[in-house]
Amino acid sequence: MVDLHNQYLQIQSEVDEAITKVINSCAFINGAEVKAFQNELSGYLGIDHVIACGNGTDALQIALMALDLKPGDEVITTPFTFVATAEVIALLGLKPVFVDIDPTSYNMDANKIAPLITSRTKCIIPVHLFGQCCDMEPILAVAEENGLFVVEDNAQSIGAYYTFSNGEKKMAGTMGDIGCTSFYPTKNLGAFGDGGALFTANDQLGKKITKIVNHGSSIKYYHDEIGVNSRLDSIQAAILRIKLRRLDAYNAARSKAASIYDDLLKSVDGVKIPKTMKFTTHVYHQYTICLDEGREEVQTALKEMGVSSMVYYPVPLHLQDAYKVYGYKKGDFPISEKLANQVLSLPMHTELTEEIQETIITKLKTILLKTYIS
Ligand SMILES: *Cc1c(COP(=O)(O)O)cnc(C)c1O
């Protein structure tokens, strides 16, 4: 699905040198590399505050902690996402309220949010899934009308941007009150271990998040609030600085690979190729196709032919055992449920070649012919 080793080989001497430098400095935690990375990411995203933390799940949890939500408060999000998004809501004693997705973008359907709002609703978490932005203008409007916070889960779309109807462009993760991202190795900006960050334009939230990640403290051994221990280590920051300088090139390589897949697949019966919505760019964290039928058989056959593929995600969160307590049932979010049975993500990374892609699609076509004939 990914080729991290060949990507590393392209930047090996720079990375090895940076790691050695951190080791010799012995500033493993909160060293100069972390501060430099935060500043550089803040410049890249065009947002004042970037606070690094331990991973993307922590970033989401810390964002909700910073908003002072009370147990029982409701947070609206999508059931078609990685579990972390809903997990942090549940962990803090808040209630996840799911909203179905748009069948074309796989992202939350902004038009379905308003009817879900109650007096307990405090926050919306749009997830910019697979590499393109949610339709943020109507989401921000419904949040504003109802006094709700917006926390963006930008673990999959760093480097994508949204265009508002007045022509203004903003990077994914910088449109709501707080943006969260992950530097998990396979993400578009991936470390060589765990990492994450929060972004905000709000000075007060910036200060508060800076405290929460560090045990609720700004002066050593004085604790203003209950926090957590969540930090990015200096070695990861040093690696991320090198990769951030190449992020646009990495995302361009993903887009190029996506357009090659598009060309190879566009006239194949039974396959829907991903569509980029008009208001956003796409950084193809995943290249996810949708099969009319036979997804399981196709995936098994691909595996037998030596082609990896993945299903993101096979079970929408409202139907996961752990989330049954919230009372949802089959049929509540028909679009998410249908797509969970149809989506298939193909190998997508910065080191794909046209030859590899042609081989993958030739094999896929052979399998599809057999599946539909039998
Ligand atoms: C990867 C991911 C996360 C969690 O990030 P970690 O760094 O693995 O904790 C959260 N949300 C989404 C949508 C993700 O893809």
Side-chain angles (χ1 to χ4, degrees):
M1 288 300 287
V2 295
D3 183 355
L4 295 176
H5 189 246
N6 277 315
Q7 193 192 56
Y8 162 63
L9 293 180
Q10 313 282 327
I11 51 173
Q12 181 172 20
S13 57
E14 222 179 316
V15 166
D16 292 3
E17 197 182 309
I19 293 175
T20 307
K21 208 173 125 202
V22 174
I23 294 173
N24 284 314
S25 79
C26 290
F28 295 113
I29 302 290
N30 275 336
E33 294 288 345
V34 176
K35 289 182 187 76
F37 172 63
Q38 290 179 157
N39 284 334
E40 287 159 9
L41 186 56
S42 143
Y44 175 84
L45 293 170
I47 194 157
D48 283 351
H49 309 279
V50 170
I51 302 106
C53 68
N55 57 67
T57 309
D58 277 5
L60 289 162
Q61 180 183 329
I62 292 159
L64 294 177
M65 289 172 77
L67 299 176
D68 279 330
L69 307 185
K70 302 281 170 290
D73 283 350
E74 296 172 8
V75 180
I76 297 175
T77 193
T78 164
F80 200 70
T81 175
F82 180 58
V83 69
T85 322
E87 189 174 52
V88 298
I89 300 172
L91 263 178
L92 294 172
L94 311 167
K95 185 178 168 201
V97 173
F98 295 114
V99 58
D100 212 353
I101 56 172
D102 167 76
T104 309
S105 66
Y106 307 128
N107 277 329
M108 93 171 15
D109 186 340
N111 299 316
K112 292 185 177 158
I113 295 173
L116 300 171
I117 295 173
T118 73
S119 59
R120 300 302 307 261
T121 311
K122 295 290 154 55
C123 183
I124 306 174
I125 308 186
V127 180
H128 306 307
L129 201 72
F130 297 156
Q132 69 177 323
C133 295
C134 294
D135 195 359
M136 288 304 286
E137 192 156 329
I139 294 173
L140 292 169
V142 76
E144 167 119 45
E145 271 161 42
N146 295 279
L148 311 179
F149 294 111
V150 174
V151 171
E152 297 169 69
D153 181 342
N154 193 33
Q156 300 193 3
S157 296
I158 196 154
Y161 62 82
Y162 181 86
T163 305
F164 288 83
S165 50
N166 66 3
E168 191 190 355
K169 297 180 192 323
K170 281 196 171 185
M171 301 296 281
T174 69
M175 293 173 271
D177 297 281
I178 304 175
C180 299
T181 203
S182 162
F183 306 123
Y184 185 79
T186 58
K187 299 283 156 87
N188 288 35
L189 180 58
F192 288 8
D194 274 315
L198 298 100
F199 331 126
T200 184
N202 179 309
D203 296 344
Q204 252 168 307
L205 281 174
K207 271 194 199 126
K208 191 153 183 188
I209 292 165
T210 306
K211 271 194 216 175
I212 294 174
V213 299
N214 182 35
H215 299 291
S217 167
S218 50
I219 302 168
K220 214 168 187 167
Y221 307 122
Y222 291 80
H223 306 276
D224 307 339
E225 51 196 299
I226 296 173
V228 295
N229 168 25
S230 184
R231 45 201 176 205
L232 182 72
D233 71 68
S234 305
I235 288 181
Q236 299 307 335
I239 295 163
L240 287 166
R241 288 183 71 195
I242 295 165
K243 292 183 76 173
L244 176 60
R245 294 200 278 275
R246 291 167 174 81
L247 179 58
D248 286 341
Y250 287 153
N251 284 341
R254 288 173 178 273
S255 280
K256 182 168 170 252
S259 68
I260 291 171
Y261 274 142
D262 284 351
D263 281 344
L264 295 168
L265 280 170
K266 67 184 174 221
S267 49
V268 178
D269 279 345
V271 175
K272 203 179 87 194
I273 59 176
K275 184 170 185 291
T276 307
M277 306 304 280
K278 63 179 190 312
F279 46 73
T280 176
T281 59
H282 203 315
V283 294
Y284 292 96
H285 175 61
Q286 299 297 344
Y287 185 88
T288 303
I289 59 172
C290 191
L291 298 175
D292 287 348
E293 53 191 316
R295 199 263 318 270
E296 298 314 312
E297 294 88 319
V298 171
Q299 197 186 15
T300 309
L302 276 173
K303 193 174 170 198
E304 279 162 10
M305 293 176 98
V307 176
S308 355
S309 65
M310 290 290 278
V311 174
Y312 304 112
Y313 296 91
V315 183
L317 299 185
H318 68 288
L319 299 179
Q320 296 278 358
D321 281 347
Y323 293 83
K324 289 215 168 112
V325 289
Y326 298 103
Y328 289 106
K329 58 183 188 317
K330 217 174 163 136
D332 285 344
F333 303 106
I335 299 169
S336 300
E337 290 168 27
K338 180 163 183 259
L339 288 171
N341 290 320
Q342 295 184 324
V343 289
L344 191 67
S345 298
L346 300 178
M348 172 50 76
H349 53 84
T350 58
E351 313 304 311
L352 276 174
T353 61
E354 208 160 334
E355 290 76 6
I356 300 175
Q357 294 187 268
E358 276 165 6
T359 311
I360 293 170
I361 300 307
T362 306
K363 288 179 177 173
L364 177 63
K365 281 184 185 166
T366 317
I367 295 163
L368 286 171
L369 276 176
K370 281 191 205 141
T371 311
Y372 291 130
I373 289 164
S374 59

